[in-house]
C-alpha cells in the first residue's frame, strides 16, 4: 500500500528539464507539474521515457538554427 508521503510529482521547467517533487508540496516557481503523483520509481521511469535529450531546450533550439 502506498502512503501519500511516498508519492512524487514529475515537474518540468521552461528548459524542458525534468525532476521529481514530493506530492502535496508547493511546486517551486518556474516548474510545472507533469502528470499525476506516483511512486518515486514510476516517476523516474516516466522521466526516462520523456527526457530523451538532456540538452536544455534553449541549446537545442540554438543548435537547430546553426545547422
Amino acid at each position: 500500500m502506498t502512503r501519500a508521503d511516498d508519492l512524487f510529482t514529475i515537474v518540468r521547467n521552461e528548459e524542458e528539464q525534468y525532476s521529481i517533487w514530493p506530492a502535496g508540496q508547493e511546486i517551486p516557481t518556474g516548474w510545472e507539474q507533469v502528470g499525476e503523483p506516483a511512486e518515486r520509481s514510476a516517476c523516474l521511469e516516466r522521466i526516462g521515457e520523456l527526457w530523451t535529450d538532456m540538452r536544455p531546450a534553449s541549446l537545442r533550439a540554438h543548435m537547430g538554427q546553426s545547422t
Side-chain angles (χ1 to χ4, degrees):
M1 181 172 177
T2 302
R3 298 184 346 228
D5 292 344
D6 296 334
L7 297 178
F8 291 84
T9 300
I10 298 172
V11 293
R12 177 181 61 213
N13 66 17
E14 64 184 25
E15 287 287 351
E16 297 179 4
Q17 298 168 311
Y18 291 85
S19 188
I20 60 172
W21 195 253
Q25 290 192 15
E26 185 176 343
I27 296 172
T29 302
W31 294 83
E32 65 180 349
Q33 182 173 334
V34 178
E36 297 299 319
E39 292 182 353
R40 179 185 179 93
S41 60
C43 289
L44 294 174
E45 184 176 327
R46 182 66 179 138
I47 288 173
E49 295 167 355
L50 294 170
W51 197 9
T52 59
D53 188 340
M54 300 301 253
R55 297 174 297 164
S58 59
L59 178 60
R60 292 193 314 265
H62 176 74
M63 293 180 76
Q65 293 173 357
S66 64
T67 56

